[in-house]
Amino acid sequence: MTIWIPTDDGHADLTSHDTFMAGPPHNTFKRLRDDDPIHWTEWADGKGFWSITRHADILELNGNAKVFSSAHGIRMEDQTPEEVIARRTFQEIDPPEHMNTRIKLAKAFSKSVIEEFNTDIRMLCTEILDEVLPEGEFDATRKIARVLPMRMLGRILGTPDEDLPWLVEKGDALIANTDPDFTDHVLDKMTTDEFRMMPFNSPAGAELYTYAKDMMDKKNKSGDTSGILHMILQPGRDESTISESEFRNFFCLLVAAGNDTTRYSIAAGMQAMCHQPELLGQMQAGGDIWNTAPDEIIRWATPASYFRRTALTDYEIHGKTIKAGDKVLYWFASANRDEAVFDTPFQVDLARTPNKHVSFGQGGPHVCLGMWLARLEVRILFQELAKRITKIEAAGPHTFLRSNFVGGIKSLPVRVTLK
């Protein structure tokens, strides 16, 4: 059964957030992969950019950080040098500085550290599903997919449970800053100069800055050294520590991206189950499928539609010249449906192997720090869900975020039958 059929006419405007409200424009991505894989895109609201749509080309360029830099911003929007410096996290830093910062953070997100959360995640999944599933019909994004990463965020940050809804609300306002359902400060619909030095050009960044500072002050005064944030603040191998601004920006990134990646992967996985009934049986059979299912669900979701780089020197590819200073967008949403790499890319195959999806930015220096946590949360959530139901089906149309950057199902009405 077909999960979802793209409806764009093959010539969608990739610069428009409204385009993505119907889901990623996969007909357009296919046309570009086939006919113009290194495509120049004009943009009325800023400098044009190159759209890179083939899986192989994205891997080639993403692996060449000496030419394609993150230090000028990772989104389509143009920024002044002052804005870039004020907002930057380690995502906007090139090697070798990026690696120096990454080493300080990597231990906190290593596979071994994340595995220690296994029991916590299973307990949270049990609590959430036992509370929600008896309702029978509900919005799976709001009641399940949003709640699990929100509660895990509290475990990771060491924040009080009562603060979590507010934190996630602010994280949504940051990363989904083009969707009026998540923020009153819609990026492309108002003047935003007042907050141009804040992460994602959003007032939510200022509020999260204040929260992070107050929280760490309280922890330091009480001698509380628990949680990943304390680990991040410790000196690295070279005895250096991250600056206050780097810490605050990282906190904002963790609240926003750390929550959304898992949320929209879970939502996409449940959407797939509604339209491919065999998936539930495969999950219930278990076994080796749990080694492959999380990555396939994350491929299907592709929570980050693209990441931007900036060319530092001229670069020739497919007979075209990317000039120094040009913006280059790696369309992960396209690469993860590339027929040259994935058989039946519009079907979810829980046993797909190898699965060379690029949802985590694989192949480059900025591969996602939180990938082990995302995989673990996705695996355990679907294991626990499959134990409890005999059927899941759509109870209405699902809706997507108004964003060409974040690929997510923001509303997913479902109906379940319990065992």
Side-chain angles (χ1 to χ4, degrees), residues 171-399:
D172 287 343
L174 277 181
I175 204 164
N177 61 353
T178 55
D179 192 318
D181 286 344
F182 289 98
T183 180
D184 294 328
H185 196 80
V186 181
L187 183 65
D188 60 328
K189 293 185 178 295
M190 60 177 57
T191 301
T192 57
D193 285 352
E194 180 182 356
F195 303 103
R196 68 188 186 91
M197 297 299 184
M198 294 289 108
F200 299 97
N201 204 345
S202 170
E207 295 175 87
L208 285 169
Y209 268 17
T210 300
Y211 180 92
K213 184 179 186 304
D214 290 346
M215 180 186 71
M216 294 311 293
D217 285 346
K218 290 176 183 176
K219 283 180 173 290
N220 290 334
K221 288 178 182 177
S222 67
D224 182 0
T225 59
S226 64
I228 281 177
L229 291 179
H230 178 78
M231 191 182 300
I232 288 167
L233 288 169
Q234 300 312 299
R237 294 177 182 175
D238 60 356
E239 297 301 316
S240 66
T241 58
I242 65 173
S243 69
E244 181 179 351
S245 63
E246 287 173 331
F247 172 77
R248 292 185 303 181
N249 285 349
F250 178 77
F251 182 84
C252 290
L253 176 66
L254 188 60
V255 169
N259 181 62
D260 279 14
T261 300
T262 305
R263 178 198 310 186
Y264 295 124
S265 293
I266 291 170
M270 294 183 72
Q271 179 256 351
M273 292 175 71
C274 289
H275 297 279
Q276 281 186 240
E278 72 275 12
L279 298 181
L280 175 57
Q282 292 168 7
M283 290 179 183
Q284 289 170 337
D288 290 342
I289 203 165
W290 292 117
N291 295 325
T292 54
D295 272 300
E296 176 65 354
I297 290 169
I298 292 165
R299 176 196 74 87
W300 176 249
T302 315
S305 296
Y306 74 85
F307 272 95
R308 168 219 169 157
R309 302 290 184 257
T310 303
L312 300 180
T313 62
D314 291 359
Y315 192 86
E316 299 283 340
I317 183 170
H318 293 313
K320 297 189 177 183
T321 302
I322 299 173
K323 297 285 189 181
D326 285 352
K327 292 188 292 188
V328 181
L329 268 60
Y330 304 156
W331 286 101
F332 294 168
S334 175
N336 280 348
R337 298 292 191 276
D338 190 337
E339 301 90 340
V341 178
F342 303 101
D343 293 333
T344 60
F346 283 90
Q347 296 289 306
V348 170
D349 177 2
L350 296 180
R352 190 184 297 276
T353 185
N355 192 336
K356 298 180 180 180
H357 73 83
V358 293
S359 296
F360 294 128
Q362 294 94 318
H366 293 83
V367 63
C368 178
L369 269 179
M371 63 182 179
W372 294 112
L373 178 61
R375 285 169 171 147
L376 187 60
E377 288 181 294
V378 168
R379 173 167 60 83
I380 293 176
L381 185 282
F382 284 98
Q383 284 177 338
E384 294 300 322
L385 176 65
K387 290 178 184 177
R388 290 167 167 77
I389 63 173
T390 60
K391 186 177 183 180
I392 180 170
E393 58 188 340
H398 58 276
T399 61

Side-chain angles (χ1 to χ4, degrees), residues 7 18 41 49 78 113 149 163 165 191 282 296 302 323 332 401:
T7 58
D18 292 329
T41 302
F49 53 86
D78 299 314
V113 170
D163 291 356
T191 301
Q282 292 168 7
E296 176 65 354
T302 315
K323 297 285 189 181
F332 294 168
L401 283 167

Side-chain angles (χ1 to χ4, degrees), residues 37-206:
I38 311 297
H39 173 74
W40 179 257
T41 302
E42 294 288 351
W43 186 26
D45 295 327
K47 297 177 182 178
F49 53 86
W50 296 98
S51 284
I52 315 300
T53 50
R54 287 183 184 170
H55 186 281
D57 295 335
I58 288 174
L59 286 184
E60 176 184 335
L61 272 58
N62 194 31
N64 192 344
K66 291 182 179 180
V67 173
F68 297 100
S69 169
S70 301
H72 301 273
I74 58 172
R75 294 178 66 156
M76 190 182 298
E77 291 78 17
D78 299 314
Q79 299 177 43
T80 66
E82 294 79 14
E83 290 167 353
V84 170
I85 292 172
R87 300 186 202 174
R88 75 175 185 174
T89 67
F90 75 107
Q91 282 190 317
E92 291 94 10
I93 302 173
D94 290 329
E97 185 183 359
H98 170 81
M99 186 54 63
N100 294 336
T101 303
R102 190 180 186 90
I103 288 170
K104 298 171 187 173
L105 305 175
K107 183 180 178 182
F109 293 92
S110 66
K111 185 178 182 180
S112 59
V113 170
I114 294 303
E115 282 292 341
E116 294 177 7
F117 288 111
N118 193 307
T119 300
D120 282 345
I121 294 172
R122 198 167 297 277
M123 179 184 68
L124 288 174
C125 289
T126 296
E127 291 175 358
I128 293 164
L129 294 173
D130 287 351
E131 177 182 343
V132 174
L133 293 181
E135 295 180 18
E137 189 171 314
F138 49 86
D139 182 340
T141 300
R142 187 170 66 87
K143 291 290 189 75
I144 295 176
R146 184 177 188 266
V147 177
L148 172 60
M150 177 179 73
R151 293 187 183 174
M152 267 309 298
L153 184 67
R155 303 296 194 277
I156 291 170
L157 298 180
T159 55
D161 286 348
E162 58 267 25
D163 291 356
L164 294 177
W166 181 88
L167 280 171
V168 173
E169 177 185 327
K170 296 307 172 184
D172 287 343
L174 277 181
I175 204 164
N177 61 353
T178 55
D179 192 318
D181 286 344
F182 289 98
T183 180
D184 294 328
H185 196 80
V186 181
L187 183 65
D188 60 328
K189 293 185 178 295
M190 60 177 57
T191 301
T192 57
D193 285 352
E194 180 182 356
F195 303 103
R196 68 188 186 91
M197 297 299 184
M198 294 289 108
F200 299 97
N201 204 345
S202 170

